[in-house]
Amino acid sequence: MLRISEFSRLTRIPAKTLRYYDDIGLFCPAQVDKFTGYRYYSVNQLARLNRILALKELGLSLEQVKDMLDNNLTPEQIRGMLMLKQAELQQQIQQEQMRLLYVENKLKQIEEEGLMSDYEVVIKSVAPVHAATIRATTPDMAHIGQTLDRAFDTLMTYIGEHGKQSDKPEECGITLYLDPEMPDKDILLEAALGIEGDMKATGDINVYTLPAIEMAASVVHHGPFNTLDKAYHALFKWIEANDYEVCGPNREINLAYERGGDQNKYVTELQFPVKKKL
Amino acid sequence: MLRISEFSRLTRIPAKTLRYYDDIGLFCPAQVDKFTGYRYYSVNQLARLNRILALKELGLSLEQVKDMLDNNLTPEQIRGMLMLKQAELQQQIQQEQMRLLYVENKLKQIEEEGLMSDYEVVIKSVAPVHAATIRATTPDMAHIGQTLDRAFDTLMTYIGEHGKQSDKPEECGITLYLDPEMPDKDILLEAALGIEGDMKATGDINVYTLPAIEMAASVVHHGPFNTLDKAYHALFKWIEANDYEVCGPNREINLAYERGGDQNKYVTELQFPVKKKL
DNA sequence: TTGCTCCTCACGTCACGTGAGGTGGC
DNA sequence: TTGCTCCTCACGTCACGTGAGGTGGC
């Protein structure tokens, strides 16, 4: 019989850990002195301990290891647990590789642009928006302001007469860009305002639910619209560098906007639906 | 100003998490009602929040994120943190890939041999052993028992006269196999017994410290020596399947052995120094 | 006998999640 | 007014590590 420190030295498992395994009933000493509480281990216990260590190495929790060893599971159950673990590990590896790419790109960015950039891109999901919308075109970005003002005016008037506007800040001014950019072509866009309850559509006005976006690359721009291109640029660069690709029409969300108000107080979120390449 | 639930919906961060970030001083509401304690957030806070989320996505801890945002670190410090994280991630990925391989092989093994095998291989380190040793050769494995008995007898006698034997169970009978297997050649081996303190060498007896093994693939065999080949077989198979390679002389450790005693009570550990391929 | 080893609490870790129980706001 | 939202504890998670304070073994 070996004392805990001897068994610890033999197995290279810290004594504290052996005590812990005893506490949770995973691996108990062959014998415990009734009076002193001293734990005594036998070399025959190495079989079980090695089984535990091997299963732990697979990434299973101690709870799962205990399950596998004590509740003699069917081969099917064991296969099931291992296959689940396999899938988990594959996912984790993917995630870590993504993180690694993030870190590498952040390092590059710091070298190129110095310290932290003004635009931090995050991946988020976007909820569906029940909205009234209207489509419009504009020949170039220089006139987009007027086009949108007119579109939103029409929408507001219509909603005021036929229903109720949503008061959620993220639904109070959404612009969708429907076409991928085409030089020498009009830009097709859709203005949308969230509404509460149902409402009928008429003529130019559509009423439907903008779909949720599972994965949107999002960036927030503070300040006037005429510097929005910087935000777009940062976003494109990030998407490219981190192996995403755009997979749907992008949106602009007016989070703080007042027509004629102080443009420095504007807050606009850009959302691009994306998916991982490959 | 937005209430916590609104800000939570907008950012897709659970309210509980926002409260937690407030608690730890990482991200506090723009305003807190003195009487009700209600938290109020502003869309202008999105800049900081996104910065936090982006850095968190890199795998940094909230503590580190706070550091980077609040203690305006030098670019060099920030680069340092990111490069450290990069190295950590690379290591983690390697580890997970190893685990994945373990799981896959365990699945294969279950298919081939049914449920759990008798031999669980673990990777462990082995401490250096200060020992007296003696070399011997044997023409084939059939005569190894006698060869070793003689070698250990000689050692014991010598140690009894010139020093003191170690009482650590893992040092009471070590056999090293010095040659890679060569058919038609004698097998060269070295018997070693741990000793306490120093001791002079004479003639055939060497006194030195068996080196530590950083990574040893280890398996424990219970029962008579004539079935040890099963343990060897399991070990070789495991090493091969999991992309390790042997990188030094292997050892047999007698953990429970009594000459002429009940062979079913024998416990023997096999240790192969290994390293990862590639 | 003295120092060594072992023992049992109890608390900390990390980023929250999960109630419990209570109060303000509309 | 009623139900909804928000608040603050307090506890749990996972696999231990880190003391504190005390006792048996050689």
Side-chain angles (χ1 to χ4, degrees):
Chain A
M1 285 303 194
L2 307 176
R3 306 218 286 184
I4 198 167
S5 63
E6 298 175 303
F7 196 70
S8 162
R9 199 185 49 221
L10 172 62
T11 59
R12 314 241 99 189
I13 304 298
K16 291 271 179 184
T17 301
L18 290 172
R19 279 191 206 104
Y20 177 63
Y21 288 175
D22 184 12
D23 282 352
I24 63 171
L26 175 62
F27 183 72
C28 304
Q31 210 178 298
V32 177
D33 188 298
K34 280 222 174 64
F35 299 108
T36 65
Y38 274 37
R39 295 171 174 83
Y40 292 97
Y41 294 88
S42 140
V43 285
N44 290 310
Q45 297 189 268
L46 287 172
R48 182 176 170 95
L49 184 62
N50 281 356
R51 218 157 248 163
I52 290 170
L53 297 179
L55 291 173
K56 194 165 112 75
E57 262 315 287
L58 306 182
L60 296 171
S61 73
L62 299 184
E63 182 95 8
Q64 290 173 310
V65 171
K66 208 181 156 193
D67 233 45
M68 292 186 68
L69 293 185
D70 295 345
N71 303 342
N72 50 3
L73 307 178
T74 66
E76 262 328 296
Q77 284 175 308
I78 293 192
R79 262 175 51 85
M81 286 178 75
L82 292 180
M83 291 179 69
L84 182 65
K85 192 71 217 171
Q86 190 180 24
E88 278 175 26
L89 282 169
Q90 281 160 347
Q91 257 217 299
Q92 278 184 39
I93 289 172
Q94 272 204 12
Q95 221 216 8
E96 311 261 293
Q97 273 166 343
M98 224 176 60
R99 292 200 156 152
L100 190 54
L101 192 59
Y102 286 158
V103 172
E104 281 163 1
N105 284 317
K106 180 63 80 178
L107 276 166
K108 261 189 219 157
Q109 180 223 296
I110 290 180
E111 267 174 44
E112 289 169 16
E113 308 171 24
L115 271 179
M116 297 273 123
S117 90
D118 294 334
Y119 298 104
E120 289 290 351
V121 179
V122 294
I123 294 289
K124 65 192 281 195
S125 61
V126 175
V129 180
H130 190 54
T133 78
I134 188 168
R135 296 199 172 191
T137 57
T138 183
D140 54 60
M141 290 308 275
H143 300 88
I144 200 164
Q146 295 148 43
T147 307
L148 281 175
D149 280 352
R150 226 178 307 128
F152 279 116
D153 284 343
T154 313
L155 273 177
M156 298 257 246
T157 310
Y158 184 84
I159 295 172
E161 287 165 4
H162 298 85
K164 188 151 176 297
Q165 208 188 311
S166 160
D167 57 356
K168 299 181 184 170
E170 68 275 24
E171 299 186 352
C172 294
I174 302 173
T175 309
L176 289 96
Y177 291 82
L178 298 172
D179 279 340
E181 282 173 70
M182 298 270 194
D184 305 329
K185 260 194 78 175
D186 285 358
I187 297 160
L188 176 61
L189 36 83
E190 184 164 7
L193 288 177
I195 55 172
E196 279 175 25
D198 212 1
M199 207 171 76
K200 66 170 182 196
T202 332
D204 290 346
I205 311 280
N206 315 298
V207 174
Y208 70 105
T209 302
L210 305 186
I213 306 175
E214 272 187 70
M215 269 205 280
S218 154
V219 93
V220 173
H221 174 75
H222 293 256
F225 291 142
N226 62 23
T227 51
L228 255 184
D229 57 329
K230 285 200 209 163
Y232 273 103
H233 183 246
L235 194 43
F236 285 138
K237 200 170 163 188
W238 187 94
I239 289 174
E240 170 82 19
N242 289 295
D243 277 347
Y244 287 93
E245 61 189 335
V246 177
C247 65
N250 58 302
R251 305 182 186 179
E252 276 178 28
I253 320 288
N254 297 124
L255 294 173
Y257 170 68
E258 200 188 347
R259 198 173 306 169
D262 182 355
Q263 294 209 7
N264 289 314
K265 292 187 177 162
Y266 288 2
V267 179
T268 313
E269 179 182 359
L270 311 184
Q271 296 172 343
F272 278 78
V274 292
K275 60 179 181 190
K276 259 283 179 186
K277 272 188 198 167
L278 295 191
Chain B
M1 286 302 195
L2 307 176
R3 307 220 286 186
I4 199 167
S5 63
E6 298 174 303
F7 196 69
S8 163
R9 199 184 49 221
L10 172 62
T11 59
R12 313 241 98 188
I13 305 297
K16 291 271 180 183
T17 301
L18 290 172
R19 279 189 206 106
Y20 177 64
Y21 288 176
D22 184 12
D23 283 351
I24 62 172
L26 175 62
F27 183 73
C28 305
Q31 210 178 298
V32 177
D33 187 298
K34 279 222 175 64
F35 300 109
T36 65
Y38 274 36
R39 295 171 174 83
Y40 292 97
Y41 295 87
S42 141
V43 285
N44 291 310
Q45 297 189 267
L46 287 171
R48 180 174 170 96
L49 184 61
N50 281 354
R51 218 157 248 164
I52 290 170
L53 297 179
L55 291 173
K56 195 165 111 74
E57 262 315 288
L58 307 182
L60 297 170
S61 73
L62 299 185
E63 183 94 8
Q64 290 174 310
V65 171
K66 208 180 156 194
D67 233 45
M68 292 185 69
L69 293 184
D70 295 344
N71 302 343
N72 49 4
L73 307 180
T74 67
E76 261 329 295
Q77 284 175 308
I78 293 192
R79 262 176 50 86
M81 286 178 73
L82 292 180
M83 290 179 69
L84 182 65
K85 192 73 216 171
Q86 191 180 23
E88 279 175 25
L89 283 169
Q90 282 160 346
Q91 256 216 301
Q92 278 184 38
I93 289 172
Q94 272 205 12
Q95 220 215 11
E96 311 261 294
Q97 273 165 344
M98 225 175 61
R99 292 200 155 152
L100 190 54
L101 193 59
Y102 285 157
V103 172
E104 282 162 1
N105 283 317
K106 180 64 83 177
L107 275 166
K108 260 189 222 158
Q109 180 223 296
I110 289 181
E111 267 174 46
E112 289 169 16
E113 307 171 25
L115 271 180
M116 298 271 124
S117 91
D118 294 334
Y119 298 104
E120 290 289 351
V121 179
V122 295
I123 293 290
K124 67 191 281 194
S125 61
V126 174
V129 180
H130 190 54
T133 78
I134 188 167
R135 295 200 172 192
T137 56
T138 184
D140 55 61
M141 290 308 274
H143 300 86
I144 200 162
Q146 297 148 42
T147 307
L148 282 175
D149 279 352
R150 224 177 310 130
F152 279 117
D153 283 343
T154 313
L155 274 177
M156 299 256 247
T157 309
Y158 185 84
I159 296 172
E161 287 166 6
H162 298 84
K164 188 150 177 295
Q165 207 187 313
S166 159
D167 58 355
K168 301 181 183 169
E170 68 274 27
E171 299 186 352
C172 294
I174 303 173
T175 309
L176 290 96
Y177 291 83
L178 298 173
D179 279 339
E181 283 173 70
M182 299 269 194
D184 305 328
K185 258 195 82 174
D186 284 357
I187 297 161
L188 176 61
L189 36 83
E190 184 164 6
L193 289 175
I195 55 172
E196 279 174 28
D198 211 3
M199 207 171 76
K200 66 170 182 195
T202 332
D204 289 346
I205 312 279
N206 315 298
V207 173
Y208 71 105
T209 301
L210 305 186
I213 307 175
E214 272 187 71
M215 269 204 281
S218 154
V219 93
V220 173
H221 173 75
H222 294 256
F225 291 143
N226 63 20
T227 51
L228 255 183
D229 59 328
K230 284 200 210 162
Y232 272 104
H233 183 246
L235 193 44
F236 284 138
K237 200 171 163 187
W238 187 94
I239 289 174
E240 169 84 19
N242 291 294
D243 277 347
Y244 287 94
E245 59 188 337
V246 176
C247 64
N250 58 302
R251 304 181 187 179
E252 276 177 27
I253 320 288
N254 296 123
L255 294 173
Y257 170 68
E258 201 188 345
R259 198 171 308 168
D262 182 355
Q263 294 209 9
N264 289 313
K265 291 186 176 162
Y266 288 2
V267 179
T268 313
E269 180 181 359
L270 311 184
Q271 296 173 342
F272 278 78
V274 291
K275 60 181 182 188
K276 260 283 180 186
K277 271 188 198 168
L278 293 191

